[in-house]
């Protein structure tokens, strides 16, 4: 430890000998293999701007030197991230840190970061959403079945009079259940962090899947999986569940405040929901959709309500040999439609290391919610 401190002291002395331009020296107690970037009002708060990636010059020690021709704002504001707002710097007690600022154009700025977020965590319990079991046996008349359905309400729902946008999500068993077999998205924890950062408040309605009949319910029409019940399931969500939710909770009912989403087959049925009922769903959150089942995606050509529809589309490079190809082709086909052109916005997010698992969908969830509903920058 003594040798490490001595080495860092020598590095800092050498660094401090150069003062013709503005230089930032960053020390951090908590370090890992993720690179460090500077985001600020000089680069539109971009979090992976290669021009503002810091150089690692020692153990837990980074530096950045602004170019000699840099155009400084009157008040230079900035923060340090590990490449995303989900990986931003935090204080020693896991608290949000304020924007840093300086009016200097030369000299040395010695900065310090005690901790970093990782995948939006850690979270604070007082911001956790209020989880309500809507029904243990909610009737699905279209399928002559019942289903367990949950609502996750903003943490201050009971003390507020606000109305909120709503996202309907498939596969509730894997969204916030700590005992889920394959892990869970941790959406309750992610919503807590988003509330703390004042990104925006939303109601999540989580519908449990049908266990052994999951594939059948999420399969729409005739595909390689056989004949599915997807059309009836979509009708249930749209004509039965949504009216119930709007009648019993303070929701913003309009399409621009209503979303639907899921992963894998849950993502596929969510695509169909948006295409069949564009007048109801203005936001689609589609993670790793099972496009391999070769569905016939029919766009509602009679609808004039697809304006401003937003689709957040995610795929992982380590999911299958065809996943990225399928989602890229899906995006191309959607945007090529004369009925969709200039009416839809699609954000395609690809993680080349991403696997077909809850861990990666969990990481995308807050990014998708922010882009779909709030589209603000955390800084």
């Amino acid at each position: 430890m003594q040798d490490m401190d001595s080495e860092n002291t020598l590095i800092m002395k050498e660094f401090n000998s150069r003062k013709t331009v503005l230089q930032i020296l960053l020390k951090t107690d908590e370090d890992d293999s993720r690179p460090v970037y500077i985001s600020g009002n000089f680069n539109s708060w971009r979090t992976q701007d290669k021009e503002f990636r810091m150089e690692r010059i020692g153990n837990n020690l980074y530096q950045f030197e602004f170019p000699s021709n840099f155009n400084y704002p009157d008040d230079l504001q900035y923060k340090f991230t590990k490449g995303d707002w989900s990986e931003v710097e935090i204080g020693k007690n896991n608290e949000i840190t304020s924007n840093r600022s300086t009016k200097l154009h030369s000299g040395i700025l010695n900065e310090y970061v005690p901790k970093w977020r990782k995948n939006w965590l850690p979270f604070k319990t007082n911001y956790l959403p209020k989880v309500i079991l809507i029904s243990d046996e909610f009737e699905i008349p279209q399928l002559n079945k019942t289903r367990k359905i949950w609502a996750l309400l903003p943490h201050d729902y009971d003390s507020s009079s606000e109305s909120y946008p709503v996202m309907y999500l498939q596969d509730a068993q894997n969204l916030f259940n700590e005992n889920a077999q394959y892990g869970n998205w941790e959406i309750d924890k992610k919503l807590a962090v988003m509330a703390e950062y004042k990104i925006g408040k939303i109601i999540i309605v989580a519908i449990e899947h049908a266990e052994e009949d999951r594939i059948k319910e999420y399969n729409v029409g005739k595909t390689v999986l056989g004949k599915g019940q997807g059309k009836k399931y979509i009708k249930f969500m749209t004509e039965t569940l949504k009216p119930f939710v709007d009648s019993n909770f303070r929701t913003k009912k309009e399409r621009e405040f209503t979303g639907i989403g899921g992963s894998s087959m849950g993502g596929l049925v969510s695509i169909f929901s948006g295409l069949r009922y564009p007048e109801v769903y203005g936001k689609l959150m589609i993670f790793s959709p099972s496009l391999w089942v070769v569905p016939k995606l029919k766009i509602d050509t009679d609808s004039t309500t697809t304006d401003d529809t937003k689709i957040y589309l995610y795929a992982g490079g380590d999911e299958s040999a065809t996943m990225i190809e399928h989602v890229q082709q899906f995006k191309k086909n959607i945007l090529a439609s004369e009925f969709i052109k200039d009416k839809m916005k699609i954000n395609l997010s690809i993680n080349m290391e991403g696997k077909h698992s809850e861990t990666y969908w969990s990481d995308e969830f807050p990014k998708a919610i922010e882009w779909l509903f709030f589209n603000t920058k955390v800084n």
Side-chain angles (χ1 to χ4, degrees), residues 71-314:
N71 185 20
Y72 291 91
D74 290 339
D75 182 22
L76 183 74
Q77 297 186 24
Y78 58 99
K79 263 189 174 175
F80 302 107
T81 83
K82 289 279 191 172
D84 192 88
W85 292 118
S86 63
E87 321 285 318
V88 71
E89 59 170 291
I90 50 177
K92 64 180 180 179
N93 297 315
N94 303 326
E95 71 272 19
I96 297 173
T97 58
S98 301
N99 291 346
R100 300 169 187 267
S101 66
T102 182
K103 295 184 180 296
L104 296 177
H105 292 183
S106 63
I108 306 296
L109 279 175
N110 289 289
E111 298 283 28
Y112 166 69
V113 170
K115 291 183 177 182
W116 305 87
R117 287 205 184 278
K118 190 169 185 179
N119 191 10
W120 288 97
L121 303 178
F123 67 97
K124 293 183 179 178
T125 56
N126 55 306
Y127 287 103
L128 282 169
K130 180 180 180 181
V131 180
I132 292 178
L133 178 61
I134 291 179
S135 176
D136 201 34
E137 295 184 324
F138 197 100
E139 290 189 8
I140 306 178
Q142 294 83 354
L143 293 169
N144 195 27
K145 296 179 181 179
T146 61
R147 193 64 40 79
K148 185 179 289 188
I149 299 177
W150 304 82
L152 282 73
L153 308 177
H155 69 284
D156 57 353
Y157 182 89
D158 289 340
S159 59
S160 157
S161 59
E162 291 181 64
S163 294
Y164 305 94
V166 182
M167 169 63 77
Y168 293 84
L169 289 181
Q170 321 308 322
D171 294 316
Q173 291 96 324
N174 304 325
L175 297 181
F176 56 93
N177 179 5
E178 294 291 342
N179 299 316
Q181 183 177 359
Y182 302 107
N184 75 90
W185 293 23
E186 299 184 301
I187 66 170
D188 51 343
K189 300 173 185 176
K190 303 303 171 62
L191 289 169
V193 178
M194 294 176 73
E196 182 186 4
Y197 271 77
K198 296 181 170 55
I199 291 174
K201 299 174 186 177
I202 189 170
I203 293 174
I204 303 292
V205 175
I207 308 111
E208 293 203 351
H209 61 67
E211 301 293 350
E212 65 274 8
D213 286 335
R214 174 180 179 270
I215 299 294
K216 185 186 295 184
E217 278 193 5
Y218 290 170
N219 185 30
V220 181
K222 292 182 180 179
T223 70
V224 296
L225 297 175
K227 187 176 181 180
Q229 298 177 328
K231 291 180 182 179
K232 293 180 179 179
Y233 177 75
I234 293 170
K235 197 170 184 179
F236 155 69
M237 286 192 297
T238 308
E239 299 182 5
T240 303
L241 181 57
K242 184 181 186 301
F244 175 89
V245 170
D246 288 338
S247 296
N248 288 274
F249 299 97
R250 297 194 310 274
T251 66
K252 294 181 177 180
K253 303 174 178 59
E254 298 82 4
R255 65 179 300 278
E256 60 265 35
F257 303 112
T258 304
I260 191 165
S263 61
S264 195
M265 287 296 293
L268 189 66
V269 77
S270 298
I271 290 175
F272 276 102
S273 301
L275 295 182
R276 291 179 67 84
Y277 293 94
E279 72 280 5
V280 176
Y281 305 107
K283 319 287 186 185
L284 308 184
M285 191 180 79
I286 312 300
F287 294 169
S288 309
S290 299
L291 295 167
W292 58 270
V293 305
V294 198
K296 293 181 180 179
L297 297 174
K298 182 180 179 182
I299 299 169
D300 184 358
T301 57
D302 295 326
S303 177
T304 58
T305 56
T306 55
D307 288 5
D308 299 324
T309 293
K310 298 178 75 174
I311 302 177
Y312 190 99
L313 186 61
Y314 164 78

Side-chain angles (χ1 to χ4, degrees), residues 17 42 144-145 161 225 267 277 280 321 342 350 354 361 363 370-371:
S17 67
F42 50 85
N144 195 27
K145 296 179 181 179
S161 59
L225 297 175
Y277 293 94
V280 176
D342 300 325
I350 294 177
W361 300 327
D363 190 27
E370 180 182 4
W371 184 80

Side-chain angles (χ1 to χ4, degrees), residues 327-364:
V327 295
Q328 288 176 332
Q329 188 61 46
F330 168 73
K331 177 182 177 181
K332 182 179 179 181
N333 291 345
I334 286 288
L335 293 179
S337 168
E338 62 179 294
F339 303 102
I340 297 301
K341 185 182 294 185
D342 300 325
K343 293 183 178 181
M344 281 190 179
K345 294 180 182 178
I346 301 182
N347 184 335
L348 176 55
S349 173
I350 294 177
N351 178 356
M352 292 308 298
E353 307 299 321
K355 301 182 186 297
H356 199 77
S357 76
E358 278 70 19
T359 299
Y360 293 94
W361 300 327
S362 170
D363 190 27
E364 289 297 315

